[in-house]
Amino acid sequence: MMRWLHWLGTTRLTLLGMALLAIGAALSYDNPVTTPVWVLVLPLLLLALNLLIAIIINPAINRRAGLLLFHIGLLAVVVLVAIGRLTSMEAHIELVDNAAFDSEALFNVRQGPWHDGDLEQIRFVQKGFSVDYRPGMKRGLTHNHILLADDDGRMQPLVIGDDRPLLVNGYRIYTTSNKGFAPRLTWVADDGATVSGSINMPSYPLLYFRQANEWTPPGGEAIKFWLQVDAGLQEDAAWVLEPNRAAGTLVINESGRRVELQPGQSLVLAGGTLHYDRLSSWMGFKLFYDPTLPWLFISAILAVLGLLLHYWKKFSAEPLLINPSADDQSLTLTGGKTA
Amino acid sequence: MMTELPWLYAAMTAYALATFCAFYDVVPVRAGRVARHAMNERMVLGLLLVGVTLLVVTLGERWLRLGHGPFVNLFELLISQLFSLGVIYALVYWRVPLMRRSALVALPLLWVLGLWVLLIEPADSVLPPTYHNNWLWAHVGFGKVFLSFCLIGSGLAGVLLLRRWPLFRSWFHTMPSDKIIDGLAWRFMLIAFAFHTLMLIAGAVWAQDAWGRYWAWDALETSSFLNWLLLGAALHARVSYKVPLRLGAVLIIAVFVFAFFTYFGTPFYSEAAHKGVI
């Protein structure tokens, strides 16, 4: 039994685990869908077991405070990453101006089986955005305006961006490069029933040449829309995308006839009347949740501090600085040794 | 107009002269050897510092012109790396006289970058939105210190390997025994390991803020993690087994070569080094 325990804590097994982890890491490059997660999980489990036993039985580790802290920190990182995968959540959502966050509208949701976050705590309203572009259509900073509900339920203005996430109850919500225009429409059916909503056009300016979408109103026929946008786009100069200052003409193909609508104009179609209320915008957000993040950071920093403590003790015992003697032929260690 | 280029050429000239001085030191002479040796070492150090100063001006000029630091394209990454390698190498060269003769190995390695930066297109760059983050500084800074100590360790490892041959033995005869050089080289690799770990931590924090994930196995993340594993495995192997000195030296150089390809080879097999960089 003890023999097995010793074998499980040997450096030989550490090196084997590292080699397997290296293979798993190489196979995981770029997250190919064909690579199973076990190529990483199995070596990590092996290394965690090896590390745990080595910490317990190996005096070279457990009698040196620095090395002990480093290895405990590493073990904690491995365990926390595993817990993080089981409790995390990633998702996307698209919100038009003045729309409130709605957890039912999340898509591309990926969450661990132990995820227990409270999405209902996320209460904010999208209020438009601007994006800086440099020459060559290089995207700069995104300034996305929201109204965030505080503890008293009052809405407070806040600006978030790609690298300035909204932090709510452990959830981190980032803007993305995926955003665009959304013509706001009202459909009044012949029987008087009214429906209002927005049509999200493809991402802008990435797909500026293909601003088209389709919608079927209740009781009506499918309508194909094209949007001609004047947003000040410049390929060779700096510009700012500000959807609330952009002008958009809605083009509709009605029985083979091209009809252009400006905001405020209407078009009578089979089954009802379509009103083009105004040009609005939508922003694509990425949502991320992992309750282990702060603990991961602390564990990793503790590991490094342990490593530095070990170095400090080791280097103090065996000084690095070596003074060459006058003729350069023999060298004296500051610790008194002679080479 | 790229006003920084004349400063870059001047800096590379200073590095070239430092390399020349290091090699001039090993040319055999009959008399006055000790006096020339001391003077040459001062010349090497002085020229390295002149090169570093000129690179500071190069980076400053470019920074003022473009409005951002040297973080984006290969040209500016090479310049900043030449600066950080130069400044840390000069510092260690000054403080650890024992390793000075290893400049015969390390400075030519530095020159690989020097020649490269002179041959590539000095294109301007645009700072991506995700680079407006203080953790980027920590991540890049730790990475540069890691590579610098790898370079110093590799210089010493190169001495261990080269002095097996009679041709090179006389070059390094003033250096101490293989065992002492081996211990010194691995000590620098230990420091490199700590900074590599810090680089991975700072990079993960930056990635979480920048792209909403702390790890995504992109080209740089995968390559740098493999590099960390290789160095970690090498350190474990050396502590636990009697790794022959020359095999140890080969391991050190392998870590440096891997790090070199991680830093400068990634652009060749990945359109964007970090996923979601734009």
Side-chain angles (χ1 to χ4, degrees):
Chain A
M1 179 68 185
M2 283 306 288
R3 217 173 124 191
W4 268 99
L5 209 60
H6 273 277
W7 184 78
L8 284 171
T10 55
T11 308
R12 190 165 297 179
L13 198 64
T14 309
L15 294 174
L16 175 67
M18 283 177 156
L20 291 173
L21 186 57
I23 293 168
L27 291 172
S28 301
Y29 166 59
D30 213 19
N31 295 306
V33 288
T34 49
T35 301
V37 71
W38 294 109
V39 299
L40 289 171
V41 172
L42 283 179
L44 281 173
L45 280 175
L46 180 67
L47 281 171
L49 180 68
N50 170 250
L51 202 50
L52 180 66
I53 293 170
I55 286 169
I56 296 167
I57 67 166
N58 190 344
I61 294 176
N62 58 34
R63 288 190 189 163
R64 292 173 173 151
L67 270 190
L68 180 63
L69 186 60
F70 173 65
H71 286 95
I72 288 175
L74 273 188
L75 185 60
V77 166
V78 173
V79 172
L80 286 167
V81 166
I83 294 172
R85 289 297 86 197
L86 292 168
T87 54
S88 67
M89 178 185 189
E90 283 180 54
H92 289 83
I93 190 170
E94 291 176 2
L95 292 177
V96 294
D97 290 1
N98 297 314
F101 175 84
D102 177 9
S103 58
E104 297 296 315
L106 290 171
F107 60 95
N108 289 346
V109 179
R110 285 192 301 174
Q111 65 181 55
W114 295 352
H115 172 71
D116 64 348
D118 187 3
L119 287 164
E120 300 310 312
Q121 294 288 324
I122 306 174
R123 288 180 295 155
F124 74 92
V125 176
Q126 169 64 3
K127 297 301 287 183
F129 63 85
S130 66
V131 182
D132 305 330
Y133 279 88
R134 272 76 60 90
M137 295 283 282
K138 303 280 187 185
R139 191 167 65 92
L141 291 175
T142 297
H143 313 274
N144 188 80
H145 299 266
I146 60 168
L147 288 176
L148 177 67
D150 63 17
D151 293 340
D152 300 325
R154 286 181 300 221
M155 303 305 276
Q156 304 289 347
L158 189 69
V159 179
I160 61 173
D162 287 10
D163 56 347
R164 284 179 296 170
L166 167 63
L167 303 175
V168 183
N169 206 32
Y171 288 94
R172 304 166 74 93
I173 298 164
Y174 304 79
T175 58
T176 65
S177 61
N178 197 28
K179 78 280 176 198
F181 291 98
R184 179 98 187 151
L185 307 172
T186 299
W187 171 257
V188 182
D190 289 342
D191 60 5
T194 302
V195 179
S196 287
S198 301
I199 303 288
N200 286 11
M201 292 296 176
S203 186
Y204 189 92
L206 180 68
L207 301 170
Y208 71 92
F209 52 88
R210 209 179 68 199
Q211 293 294 297
N213 210 333
E214 191 176 288
W215 178 58
T216 304
E221 295 174 359
I223 306 171
K224 284 185 178 175
F225 302 95
W226 290 267
L227 186 68
Q228 291 179 341
V229 185
D230 180 8
L233 184 154
Q234 298 185 61
E235 292 201 13
D236 300 322
W239 63 289
V240 180
L241 172 61
E242 291 180 281
N244 60 358
R245 292 191 179 181
T249 301
L250 200 59
V251 180
I252 297 167
N253 188 338
E254 193 258 326
S255 305
R257 182 171 62 102
R258 175 189 167 94
V259 180
E260 292 189 358
L261 291 181
Q262 299 299 329
Q265 292 184 328
S266 303
L267 177 67
V268 178
L269 296 165
T273 303
L274 183 74
H275 297 277
Y276 175 25
D277 301 330
R278 61 186 166 83
L279 184 61
S280 186
S281 63
W282 62 271
M283 169 57 76
F285 294 92
K286 179 182 179 180
L287 181 141
F288 183 89
Y289 176 84
D290 186 340
T292 64
L293 285 185
W295 301 108
L296 256 181
F297 180 72
I298 291 167
S299 304
I301 291 297
L302 282 177
V304 174
L305 287 177
L307 202 57
L308 295 178
L309 175 67
H310 175 65
Y311 289 177
W312 182 60
K313 284 190 170 177
K314 184 181 170 67
F315 296 172
S316 300
E318 304 161 25
L320 174 74
L321 293 177
I322 295 170
N323 302 315
S325 64
D327 63 358
D328 273 351
Q329 297 303 308
S330 66
L331 298 144
T332 307
L333 292 163
T334 50
K337 298 173 196 169
T338 302
Chain B
M1 184 186 169
M2 295 194 178
T3 51
E4 68 270 20
L5 287 183
W7 298 103
L8 174 64
Y9 299 149
M12 291 303 95
T13 305
Y15 275 12
L17 288 172
T19 312
F20 175 77
C21 279
F23 274 91
Y24 184 67
D25 202 21
V26 297
V27 175
V29 287
R30 286 176 190 276
R33 190 182 169 282
V34 172
R36 195 186 77 180
H37 174 67
M39 190 188 76
N40 267 354
E41 286 190 347
R42 282 197 294 274
M43 287 284 284
V44 171
L45 182 59
L47 285 164
L48 274 176
L49 291 174
V50 169
V52 165
T53 308
L54 289 166
L55 283 170
V56 169
V57 180
T58 308
L59 290 165
E61 280 276 334
R62 187 174 174 86
W63 200 316
L64 288 172
R65 192 168 62 76
L66 297 181
H68 64 78
F71 301 120
V72 186
N73 66 21
L74 187 60
F75 178 69
E76 52 201 31
L77 289 177
L78 284 170
I79 300 175
S80 65
Q81 207 66 255
L82 280 162
F83 160 73
S84 57
L85 289 172
V87 77
I88 293 174
Y89 193 82
L91 186 69
V92 176
Y93 188 91
W94 170 50
R95 293 296 298 153
V96 189
L98 172 64
M99 54 73 70
R100 286 181 185 163
R101 193 51 77 83
S102 69
L104 293 171
V105 181
L107 291 184
L109 288 175
L110 197 63
W111 252 97
V112 174
L113 296 183
L115 283 174
W116 196 357
V117 79
L118 294 176
L119 292 174
I120 62 170
E121 177 70 28
D124 287 352
S125 65
V126 176
L127 197 68
T130 48
Y131 279 45
H132 296 264
N133 189 300
N134 291 334
W135 282 99
L136 167 67
W137 287 84
H139 173 62
V140 171
F142 290 140
K144 287 185 185 311
V145 180
F146 156 68
L147 195 66
S148 300
F149 281 106
C150 265
L151 175 74
I152 297 163
S154 297
L156 290 163
V159 171
L160 283 176
L161 295 176
L162 284 175
R163 73 174 175 186
R164 291 182 69 191
W165 284 285
L167 175 66
F168 299 111
R169 198 167 291 145
S170 63
W171 288 16
F172 305 112
H173 75 280
T174 57
M175 295 187 80
S177 68
D178 283 0
K179 196 177 174 192
I180 289 184
I181 293 175
D182 174 75
L184 197 59
W186 280 104
R187 186 166 291 195
F188 286 120
M189 298 311 284
L190 277 174
I191 300 170
F193 184 67
F195 279 98
H196 197 325
T197 310
L198 284 168
M199 179 187 76
L200 293 181
I201 296 169
V205 178
W206 170 41
Q208 183 64 60
D209 276 352
W211 303 300
R213 85 300 185 284
Y214 62 84
W215 200 268
W217 297 112
D218 70 22
L220 267 182
E221 287 166 356
T222 306
S223 192
S224 61
F225 181 68
L226 289 173
N227 205 180
W228 184 83
L229 277 179
L230 178 63
L231 180 50
L235 290 170
H236 275 89
R238 183 175 180 271
V239 169
S240 304
Y241 305 105
K242 287 182 180 172
V243 176
L245 297 187
R246 287 186 176 82
L247 176 60
V250 170
L251 277 175
I252 289 174
I253 290 172
V255 169
F256 177 73
V257 169
F258 204 124
F260 190 89
F261 280 105
T262 298
Y263 278 69
F264 307 112
T266 311
F268 293 103
Y269 62 86
S270 169
E271 192 177 332
H274 275 302
K275 192 176 281 181
V277 72
I278 304 302

